Amino acid sequence: MNNQPEARVRFTRQEEPRSAQILQRDERTFRVHTSAYTDERVFREEMDKVFAKTWVYVGHASEIPKAGDFKTSHIGLQPVVVSRGEDDTIHVFVNRCVHRGAVLTRDARGNATEFNCPYHGWVYGIDGRLIAVSERREPGGYSENFRQPEGLFRLPRVATYRGFIFASFNADAPGLEAFLGRARSVIDRKLNLAPGGEIVLRSRPFVVRYQGNWKFQAENIVDAYHFLHTHKGFVNLQARFGDTTGDFGVHKGGSVKEMRKLRFQGATWSCAHGHGMLENPSSHPETYLEGEFSSFYEGIRRTHGDEEFAWLVGKGAVSIFPNVGMIHQQIRTWRPIAPDVTEVTIYPYELKDAPDAYNEGMLRSQERFYGPAGHGAADDVDIFSRNQQGLLGSAVDWLILERGLDTDELVDGDWRGLPASEAPQRALWRAWARLMCEEQT
C-alpha cells in the first residue's frame, strides 16, 4: 500500500498559482492543478528552479566523436554548445557572446577550431575561452583598464553516463549516477543489446513542435495506459496486418486482446529523482534465437546469461527528468519554449557492431511509427494539443493522476507500480514539487 505521509494543499481561484499550491497529495489523492501546464509565471519559475537546478541531458558522445566537434542544445530556455576539446574533454557553455549577447552558432552540429561572433568579431576557443577581442586598440577601443571576461559562461557540472552527456548550472547537484538511480537499468539494457555495449547516433533526427506543455511529453513516453486508445487506428492496423507492413517487431501485432495482454504485463516505476520507467521482460525470449538474427541474439545471450537476456529483448522505456527519454531504439528529447509550445527531437540510434540489416530494420520501424508520415507521432501531438486546448477552460481545476496509487509499493526508495499504473507520471510531479517548493519547505 502507498503510505507516504504527504500533506494536502488546496488551491483557491482567488490565490496566485504558486507552485506550493499546485499539487493535492495524500495517500489516496494525487491531483495537479491546471495552472501547472498553462500559467506563464509557473513556466518561468520552472526554468529557474527545475532546469537550472538539476542535471539536463544535452547530447550523446557519438555526436561529437573528434576534437573540435560540437553540437548545439538547450537547457530550458538557455541555448548551449556541447564541444569536445583537444584533450578529449567535453565542455558545455552558454551559446551567447559575453559582449552583446549574440548566439555564436546556429548549426546543429559541426567541427571548428574557434567560434567567431558574427556581431563584432570576438573570438572564442572550442572550450569557450575568450581568445581575442577584435580591434581592441583601435581609436575608441578598449583601455588598458578593461576587465576582459575569461570567456563564455561554462557550466560548472558536466558528466557522462555510457555516452549520455548531462550538464547542470547547479554546482551542488548530486553525482550523475546517483541522480539517474534505477533509471540506469533502462539505459544499460538498451545499450547492452549491442555486442560491445555502445550505440551511435548516425541518422538525422526528426524534429516536431506541438501546441502544448513540455510535461505532457515527459509524462506520455512512459504512459502504458494510453496506447490502445490514442493509437487506436494503428492498433487496428496491427491487428489486421501484424508485422507485414514493416514494423520489425517493435509494436507486436495480433488481435486487440493479445496486444492488451502484452501491454498490461511487467511493472512501472516512480523513481526518487523524478524518472518514470516501464519494464516488461520478454515472456518468450527463446523466439529471438530463431530466424535471420539468431546468431546476433545468441551472442548477446551468451554474454549476459538467460535471465538478463529476457530483459534485454523485452520492452522498456524511461523518462529521465526533466527532458530526455528512451523507448524502442531511439533517444527522445523535449525542449520547453513556452507554456504551450514544446519542441520534441527524436534520435534513432544504431547498435554498434550489430548487423546492418538489423539497424536498418529498426530505422524503418522508427519511420513507420514516429516519422513525419508515421502513425504514432501524429496521434501524440494531437493529444497534447487537445490537452492544452482543454486546459484553457476554467470550469475544472484539477487533473487526476491516481491510477494505481493504492497499489504502489516502496522498494529501496522508489515506488513500484502495476503495469498500467500512473506511478511514472507521479515521479515527475514529486521531483517537480521538491525543486519548485524547496524555498517554502
Side-chain angles (χ1 to χ4, degrees):
M1 293 290 292
N2 186 342
N3 295 315
Q4 66 268 42
E6 297 181 291
R8 179 169 178 161
V9 181
R10 295 189 179 275
F11 180 101
T12 62
R13 199 172 290 279
Q14 288 74 36
E15 295 173 329
E16 292 295 308
R18 292 170 56 246
S19 55
Q21 300 165 321
I22 281 175
L23 298 186
Q24 288 183 350
R25 292 187 292 171
D26 59 34
E27 64 178 35
R28 294 184 301 173
T29 306
F30 203 110
R31 303 194 176 192
V32 180
H33 196 268
T34 294
S35 59
Y37 299 89
T38 60
D39 193 271
E40 176 71 29
R41 291 163 295 183
V42 172
F43 179 81
R44 292 288 170 177
E45 197 174 348
E46 288 175 336
M47 298 305 104
D48 292 336
K49 292 187 176 181
V50 175
F51 284 87
K53 296 296 185 182
T54 192
W55 289 101
V56 176
Y57 174 82
V58 292
H60 190 267
S62 66
E63 297 178 275
I64 52 168
K66 304 187 302 296
D69 285 349
F70 70 89
K71 68 160 294 184
T72 51
S73 187
H74 287 82
I75 296 179
L77 297 177
Q78 299 279 356
V80 298
V81 175
V82 184
S83 67
R84 188 178 294 274
E86 293 294 333
D87 61 355
D88 211 38
T89 300
I90 294 175
H91 306 276
V92 181
F93 48 83
V94 174
N95 188 5
R96 166 180 164 166
C97 180
V98 297
H99 175 219
R100 299 276 287 277
V103 166
L104 294 173
T105 178
R106 290 173 170 166
D107 293 338
R109 290 171 63 177
N111 183 277
T113 56
E114 61 186 31
F115 294 104
N116 192 295
C117 179
Y119 196 4
H120 297 99
W122 286 32
V123 183
Y124 302 88
I126 194 67
D127 61 356
R129 289 180 301 106
L130 180 58
I131 295 175
V133 175
S134 61
E135 290 85 40
R136 178 168 181 165
R137 300 303 186 198
E138 296 298 323
Y142 296 96
S143 73
E144 294 288 347
N145 298 322
F146 172 59
R147 293 178 294 174
Q148 180 173 308
E150 179 185 343
L152 303 173
F153 183 98
R154 287 186 275 188
L155 273 73
R157 299 294 297 280
V158 179
T160 64
Y161 181 76
R162 298 196 67 170
F164 288 69
I165 306 169
F166 291 81
S168 180
F169 283 98
N170 182 7
D172 298 322
L176 179 59
E177 291 199 14
F179 169 74
L180 292 174
R182 192 181 299 270
R184 287 180 294 160
S185 66
V186 177
I187 299 174
D188 290 340
R189 284 168 173 158
K190 288 190 175 295
L191 270 61
N192 287 347
L193 196 57
E198 296 183 43
I199 62 173
V200 180
L201 274 60
R202 189 169 285 126
S203 302
R204 289 187 177 182
F206 169 53
V207 183
V208 63
R209 290 190 178 187
Y210 66 82
Q211 297 294 317
N213 192 266
W214 65 274
K215 296 182 289 293
F216 289 137
Q217 174 62 98
E219 295 169 337
N220 186 72
I221 194 172
V222 284
D223 185 328
Y225 188 24
H226 82 287
F227 191 89
L228 295 172
H229 307 281
T230 302
H231 305 299
K232 189 174 182 179
F234 179 76
V235 168
N236 291 335
L237 180 74
Q238 285 290 92
R240 181 173 181 182
F241 296 106
D243 290 350
T244 60
T245 55
D247 186 60
F248 207 67
V250 170
H251 299 95
K252 293 293 186 182
S255 68
V256 174
K257 182 179 179 180
E258 289 171 326
M259 282 185 269
R260 185 183 302 277
K261 181 180 178 181
L262 179 67
R263 290 191 168 274
F264 290 167
Q265 294 177 347
T268 57
W269 286 94
S270 172
C271 299
H273 289 285
H275 320 312
M277 291 170 50
L278 303 177
E279 59 178 21
N280 187 358
S282 173
S283 55
H284 297 286
E286 68 279 358
T287 61
Y288 289 87
L289 303 177
E290 305 168 358
E292 181 182 0
F293 303 109
S294 58
S295 60
F296 163 66
Y297 283 118
E298 177 59 31
I300 301 301
R301 187 195 66 80
R302 284 197 305 268
T303 299
H304 297 282
D306 290 335
E307 182 178 353
E308 184 64 13
F309 181 68
W311 286 99
L312 297 182
V313 297
K315 302 299 180 186
V318 64
S319 177
I320 298 176
F321 184 81
N323 78 316
V324 63
M326 294 186 77
I327 188 169
H328 305 312
Q329 201 161 309
Q330 67 173 248
I331 297 169
R332 188 185 306 179
T333 65
W334 41 93
R335 175 168 75 93
I337 297 174
D340 59 352
V341 182
T342 305
E343 182 176 275
V344 177
T345 304
I346 294 174
Y347 298 86
Y349 62 77
E350 296 182 7
L351 301 178
K352 189 175 180 180
D353 299 324
D356 290 342
Y358 180 90
N359 282 321
E360 183 176 345
M362 291 300 293
L363 181 59
R364 299 288 83 79
S365 76
Q366 301 283 343
E367 295 169 341
R368 181 179 190 248
F369 194 75
Y370 298 104
H375 298 275
D379 291 339
D380 288 330
V381 166
D382 179 58
I383 284 295
F384 300 156
S385 64
R386 282 173 180 256
N387 288 355
Q388 201 74 29
Q389 182 181 2
L391 297 185
L392 292 177
S394 60
V396 180
D397 283 338
W398 299 97
L399 289 79
I400 304 170
L401 285 85
E402 295 168 6
R403 185 177 174 87
L405 184 62
D406 59 338
T407 54
D408 288 356
E409 296 179 338
L410 190 61
V411 180
D412 298 329
D414 300 325
W415 292 96
R416 186 182 191 272
L418 296 176
S421 170
E422 289 173 332
Q425 290 70 43
R426 291 190 284 272
L428 181 151
W429 287 106
R430 290 187 179 108
W432 185 94
R434 283 195 301 273
L435 290 167
M436 294 283 281
C437 306
E438 59 185 5
E439 293 179 2
Q440 289 94 352
T441 59

Short mmCIF file of all heavy atoms in Angstrom, two decimals, residues 22-45:
data_model
loop_
_atom_site.label_atom_id
_atom_site.label_comp_id
_atom_site.label_asym_id
_atom_site.label_seq_id
_atom_site.Cartn_x
_atom_site.Cartn_y
_atom_site.Cartn_z
N ILE A 22 -0.04 23.87 -6.09
CA ILE A 22 -0.46 23.26 -7.35
C ILE A 22 -0.76 21.77 -7.21
O ILE A 22 -1.49 21.22 -8.02
CB ILE A 22 0.59 23.54 -8.43
CG1 ILE A 22 0.39 24.96 -8.96
CG2 ILE A 22 0.55 22.54 -9.57
CD1 ILE A 22 1.40 25.44 -9.94
N LEU A 23 -0.24 21.12 -6.19
CA LEU A 23 -0.49 19.69 -6.02
C LEU A 23 -1.39 19.42 -4.83
O LEU A 23 -1.27 20.06 -3.79
CB LEU A 23 0.83 18.94 -5.81
CG LEU A 23 1.87 18.99 -6.93
CD1 LEU A 23 3.03 18.07 -6.57
CD2 LEU A 23 1.28 18.60 -8.26
N GLN A 24 -2.30 18.45 -5.00
CA GLN A 24 -3.05 17.86 -3.90
C GLN A 24 -2.53 16.45 -3.71
O GLN A 24 -2.62 15.63 -4.63
CB GLN A 24 -4.55 17.79 -4.22
CG GLN A 24 -5.28 19.11 -4.21
CD GLN A 24 -6.77 18.91 -4.45
OE1 GLN A 24 -7.21 17.83 -4.80
NE2 GLN A 24 -7.54 19.97 -4.29
N ARG A 25 -1.98 16.16 -2.53
CA ARG A 25 -1.39 14.83 -2.32
C ARG A 25 -1.67 14.32 -0.91
O ARG A 25 -1.46 15.04 0.06
CB ARG A 25 0.13 14.86 -2.53
CG ARG A 25 0.58 15.12 -3.94
CD ARG A 25 2.08 14.96 -4.06
NE ARG A 25 2.80 16.00 -3.35
CZ ARG A 25 4.11 15.99 -3.15
NH1 ARG A 25 4.85 14.98 -3.58
NH2 ARG A 25 4.71 16.98 -2.50
N ASP A 26 -2.14 13.11 -0.84
CA ASP A 26 -2.12 12.33 0.39
C ASP A 26 -2.14 10.88 -0.06
O ASP A 26 -1.95 10.59 -1.25
CB ASP A 26 -3.28 12.69 1.34
CG ASP A 26 -4.66 12.50 0.73
OD1 ASP A 26 -4.82 11.56 -0.08
OD2 ASP A 26 -5.59 13.26 1.06
N GLU A 27 -2.37 9.94 0.86
CA GLU A 27 -2.23 8.53 0.46
C GLU A 27 -3.34 8.07 -0.48
O GLU A 27 -3.22 7.03 -1.11
CB GLU A 27 -2.17 7.63 1.68
CG GLU A 27 -3.43 7.60 2.53
CD GLU A 27 -3.28 6.63 3.70
OE1 GLU A 27 -2.16 6.52 4.22
OE2 GLU A 27 -4.29 5.99 4.05
N ARG A 28 -4.40 8.84 -0.64
CA ARG A 28 -5.48 8.47 -1.56
C ARG A 28 -5.68 9.47 -2.69
O ARG A 28 -6.53 9.27 -3.55
CB ARG A 28 -6.80 8.33 -0.79
CG ARG A 28 -6.82 7.19 0.21
CD ARG A 28 -8.17 7.06 0.86
NE ARG A 28 -8.56 8.29 1.55
CZ ARG A 28 -9.76 8.50 2.10
NH1 ARG A 28 -10.69 7.56 2.01
NH2 ARG A 28 -10.02 9.63 2.72
N THR A 29 -4.92 10.55 -2.67
CA THR A 29 -5.13 11.65 -3.62
C THR A 29 -3.83 12.04 -4.30
O THR A 29 -2.80 12.14 -3.64
CB THR A 29 -5.69 12.89 -2.89
OG1 THR A 29 -6.86 12.52 -2.16
CG2 THR A 29 -6.02 14.00 -3.86
N PHE A 30 -3.89 12.27 -5.61
CA PHE A 30 -2.74 12.83 -6.34
C PHE A 30 -3.31 13.60 -7.52
O PHE A 30 -3.67 13.03 -8.55
CB PHE A 30 -1.79 11.73 -6.81
CG PHE A 30 -0.39 12.23 -7.05
CD1 PHE A 30 0.66 11.85 -6.22
CD2 PHE A 30 -0.11 13.09 -8.10
CE1 PHE A 30 1.94 12.31 -6.41
CE2 PHE A 30 1.17 13.56 -8.31
CZ PHE A 30 2.20 13.17 -7.47
N ARG A 31 -3.38 14.93 -7.36
CA ARG A 31 -4.00 15.77 -8.39
C ARG A 31 -3.13 17.00 -8.65
O ARG A 31 -2.47 17.51 -7.75
CB ARG A 31 -5.43 16.17 -7.98
CG ARG A 31 -6.27 14.92 -7.73
CD ARG A 31 -7.74 15.14 -7.64
NE ARG A 31 -8.41 13.85 -7.51
CZ ARG A 31 -9.70 13.65 -7.62
NH1 ARG A 31 -10.51 14.67 -7.88
NH2 ARG A 31 -10.21 12.44 -7.50
N VAL A 32 -3.15 17.44 -9.90
CA VAL A 32 -2.31 18.54 -10.37
C VAL A 32 -3.21 19.65 -10.88
O VAL A 32 -4.14 19.40 -11.66
CB VAL A 32 -1.34 18.07 -11.47
CG1 VAL A 32 -0.47 19.23 -11.94
CG2 VAL A 32 -0.48 16.91 -10.98
N HIS A 33 -2.92 20.87 -10.47
CA HIS A 33 -3.74 22.00 -10.89
C HIS A 33 -3.43 22.38 -12.34
O HIS A 33 -2.30 22.29 -12.81
CB HIS A 33 -3.52 23.21 -9.99
CG HIS A 33 -4.58 24.25 -10.14
ND1 HIS A 33 -4.46 25.30 -11.03
CD2 HIS A 33 -5.79 24.39 -9.53
CE1 HIS A 33 -5.56 26.03 -10.96
NE2 HIS A 33 -6.38 25.51 -10.06
N THR A 34 -4.48 22.80 -13.03
CA THR A 34 -4.38 23.22 -14.43
C THR A 34 -3.25 24.22 -14.67
O THR A 34 -2.56 24.16 -15.69
CB THR A 34 -5.73 23.85 -14.87
OG1 THR A 34 -6.73 22.85 -14.85
CG2 THR A 34 -5.62 24.45 -16.26
N SER A 35 -3.04 25.13 -13.75
CA SER A 35 -2.04 26.19 -13.95
C SER A 35 -0.63 25.66 -14.10
O SER A 35 0.24 26.35 -14.63
CB SER A 35 -2.11 27.20 -12.79
OG SER A 35 -1.84 26.56 -11.56
N ALA A 36 -0.37 24.43 -13.63
CA ALA A 36 0.97 23.84 -13.79
C ALA A 36 1.34 23.68 -15.26
O ALA A 36 2.52 23.62 -15.60
CB ALA A 36 1.03 22.49 -13.08
N TYR A 37 0.33 23.62 -16.12
CA TYR A 37 0.57 23.44 -17.55
C TYR A 37 0.32 24.73 -18.36
O TYR A 37 0.70 24.78 -19.54
CB TYR A 37 -0.36 22.36 -18.12
CG TYR A 37 -0.21 20.99 -17.53
CD1 TYR A 37 -0.92 20.61 -16.40
CD2 TYR A 37 0.64 20.05 -18.12
CE1 TYR A 37 -0.80 19.33 -15.87
CE2 TYR A 37 0.76 18.76 -17.60
CZ TYR A 37 0.04 18.42 -16.48
OH TYR A 37 0.17 17.15 -15.96
N THR A 38 -0.32 25.71 -17.76
CA THR A 38 -0.77 26.85 -18.56
C THR A 38 -0.23 28.20 -18.13
O THR A 38 -0.17 29.12 -18.93
CB THR A 38 -2.31 26.95 -18.52
OG1 THR A 38 -2.73 27.12 -17.15
CG2 THR A 38 -2.96 25.69 -19.08
N ASP A 39 0.17 28.35 -16.85
CA ASP A 39 0.49 29.67 -16.33
C ASP A 39 1.91 30.09 -16.68
O ASP A 39 2.86 29.36 -16.45
CB ASP A 39 0.31 29.68 -14.81
CG ASP A 39 0.32 31.10 -14.26
OD1 ASP A 39 1.43 31.57 -13.94
OD2 ASP A 39 -0.75 31.72 -14.18
N GLU A 40 2.05 31.29 -17.23
CA GLU A 40 3.35 31.81 -17.63
C GLU A 40 4.28 31.96 -16.43
O GLU A 40 5.49 31.71 -16.53
CB GLU A 40 3.18 33.16 -18.33
CG GLU A 40 4.48 33.86 -18.72
CD GLU A 40 5.22 33.17 -19.85
OE1 GLU A 40 4.53 32.54 -20.70
OE2 GLU A 40 6.47 33.26 -19.90
N ARG A 41 3.75 32.35 -15.29
CA ARG A 41 4.59 32.52 -14.09
C ARG A 41 5.15 31.19 -13.61
O ARG A 41 6.31 31.10 -13.20
CB ARG A 41 3.78 33.20 -12.98
CG ARG A 41 3.43 34.65 -13.27
CD ARG A 41 2.32 35.13 -12.37
NE ARG A 41 1.07 34.43 -12.64
CZ ARG A 41 -0.08 34.69 -12.03
NH1 ARG A 41 -0.12 35.63 -11.09
NH2 ARG A 41 -1.17 34.02 -12.32
N VAL A 42 4.33 30.16 -13.66
CA VAL A 42 4.80 28.82 -13.29
C VAL A 42 5.89 28.36 -14.26
O VAL A 42 6.91 27.81 -13.86
CB VAL A 42 3.63 27.83 -13.27
CG1 VAL A 42 4.14 26.41 -13.08
CG2 VAL A 42 2.64 28.19 -12.16
N PHE A 43 5.67 28.61 -15.54
CA PHE A 43 6.65 28.21 -16.55
C PHE A 43 8.00 28.88 -16.30
O PHE A 43 9.05 28.23 -16.34
CB PHE A 43 6.11 28.58 -17.94
CG PHE A 43 7.05 28.24 -19.07
CD1 PHE A 43 7.13 26.95 -19.57
CD2 PHE A 43 7.86 29.22 -19.63
CE1 PHE A 43 7.98 26.64 -20.62
CE2 PHE A 43 8.72 28.93 -20.67
CZ PHE A 43 8.78 27.63 -21.17
N ARG A 44 8.00 30.18 -16.03
CA ARG A 44 9.25 30.90 -15.78
C ARG A 44 9.94 30.38 -14.52
O ARG A 44 11.17 30.28 -14.45
CB ARG A 44 8.98 32.40 -15.67
CG ARG A 44 8.53 33.02 -16.97
CD ARG A 44 9.68 33.12 -17.96
NE ARG A 44 9.23 33.49 -19.29
CZ ARG A 44 10.03 33.70 -20.33
NH1 ARG A 44 11.34 33.57 -20.17
NH2 ARG A 44 9.55 34.02 -21.50
N GLU A 45 9.12 30.04 -13.54
CA GLU A 45 9.68 29.50 -12.30
C GLU A 45 10.33 28.15 -12.55
O GLU A 45 11.37 27.82 -11.97
CB GLU A 45 8.56 29.38 -11.26
CG GLU A 45 9.06 29.22 -9.83
CD GLU A 45 7.93 29.25 -8.83
OE1 GLU A 45 6.79 29.62 -9.21
OE2 GLU A 45 8.18 28.91 -7.66
#
